[in-house]
Amino acid sequence: MVKKLEKLQQSLAYQFSNLDLAQQALTHRSASKSHNERFEFLGDSLLGFIIAEALFDLYPEASEGELSRMRASLVNKASLAAIGRELQLGELLQLGAGELKSGGMERDSILADTVEALIAAIYLDGGLEACKQFVKTINARNLSTEEGSAKQKDCKTRLQELLQAQGRALPNYEVVEVSGAAHEQVFHVSCSLEFLQKKAVGIGSSKRLAEQQAAEKMLDSIEESIGEQ
């Protein structure tokens, strides 16, 4: 177990003062009475708070609904399991014989729960600031993706102003598909222009973000059409 804990700390880029906390965070209920379920409970709340705060700071103009959808896309089981795999938690887990045989080390639910447990362990070991740093680090790529989407916020306005300046009809936006569970929906929105007879489809964690992406793609299409003339 000592080697596992050393590898864990290297993966996390965090040194525990109390290694017992790290060990418990890695222990599934199938392996011991001293398992990580209480840690999962605390880690889930900490994760939600820290991501909410980060999104609140990143998107001062976003509505409550948009912030909620973005948070849901970052804290769902699939996202957390992906982080667990990046940290190679599967091989570090303490699992009972039954879970080992059934492939528990690769199961999304177990990996996601372990990430939450580790968040709690770091909070208990190093305090809130250390916990915030860890959560932001493991979510850096996803937060960057959301931030990139936010920078598209002016595309609809730019497209509308361009069309108005040319005396053309405004674009039509239509939701063509909504996928995912209620708390983590993904919107597919088309943007169509009569004079181009083209459609562009945007995808986002909210209708607004999907519209912005579709508008950006349509702006690119207009620029290409102008270049071909």
Side-chain angles (χ1 to χ4, degrees):
M1 190 63 189
V2 173
K3 289 185 178 180
K4 284 189 175 183
L5 292 177
E6 288 177 356
K7 186 171 182 179
L8 171 70
Q9 292 181 110
Q10 290 175 359
S11 298
L12 302 182
Y14 178 82
Q15 295 293 313
F16 279 89
S17 298
N18 183 353
L19 285 174
D20 289 342
L21 293 170
Q23 182 170 338
Q24 187 169 348
L26 290 174
T27 303
H28 188 258
R29 64 181 179 183
S30 63
S32 171
K33 290 182 179 180
S34 180
H35 53 73
N36 62 11
E37 283 192 346
R38 282 174 54 84
F39 282 24
E40 292 168 25
F41 167 77
L42 179 58
D44 176 66
S45 296
L46 286 164
L47 174 66
F49 160 65
I50 294 168
I51 292 297
E53 183 182 56
L55 293 172
F56 183 85
D57 291 338
L58 279 172
Y59 309 116
E61 296 181 3
S63 69
E64 184 272 341
E66 290 166 340
L67 290 171
S68 294
R69 283 189 287 271
M70 284 189 283
R71 179 181 60 185
S73 72
L74 293 173
V75 304
N76 63 53
K77 293 295 184 184
S79 296
L80 293 177
I83 290 171
R85 290 189 176 90
E86 288 179 8
L87 296 174
Q88 299 180 319
L89 296 184
E91 60 190 74
L92 303 177
L93 287 168
Q94 293 290 103
L95 297 169
E99 286 293 348
L100 278 172
K101 289 180 181 179
S102 64
M105 66 176 57
E106 287 297 325
R107 191 169 300 136
D108 278 9
S109 59
I110 291 179
L111 289 170
D113 289 343
T114 304
V115 172
E116 291 175 342
L118 283 169
I119 290 169
I122 290 174
Y123 168 74
L124 294 170
D125 185 73
L128 183 57
E129 288 308 312
C131 184
K132 282 185 177 183
Q133 183 59 49
F134 174 66
V135 169
K136 289 179 180 179
T137 297
I138 62 176
N139 282 282
R141 186 187 307 165
N142 292 332
L143 284 170
S144 176
T145 299
E146 292 289 349
E147 186 175 11
S149 296
K151 290 178 181 176
Q152 300 169 3
K153 63 185 177 183
D154 293 328
C155 289
K156 283 185 68 177
T157 301
R158 285 167 50 205
L159 178 59
Q160 179 175 320
E161 291 176 349
L162 175 63
L163 295 172
Q164 287 175 332
Q166 296 177 350
R168 299 186 184 276
L170 295 180
N172 179 55
Y173 294 94
E174 181 183 0
V175 177
V176 294
E177 182 184 351
V178 180
S179 58
H183 65 288
E184 51 189 46
Q185 289 183 323
V186 177
F187 292 81
H188 300 245
V189 174
S190 69
C191 173
S192 56
L193 296 178
E194 289 183 6
F195 82 95
L196 272 184
Q197 295 185 336
K198 284 186 177 181
K199 285 187 177 182
V201 177
I203 301 172
S205 57
S206 70
K207 180 181 175 183
R208 176 175 173 273
L209 289 175
E211 287 176 344
Q212 297 295 348
Q213 188 183 97
E216 182 183 39
K217 289 182 178 179
M218 187 57 75
L219 282 167
D220 291 341
S221 292
I222 293 174
E223 290 176 4
E224 289 175 6
S225 297
I226 292 174
E228 293 171 355
Q229 292 176 359

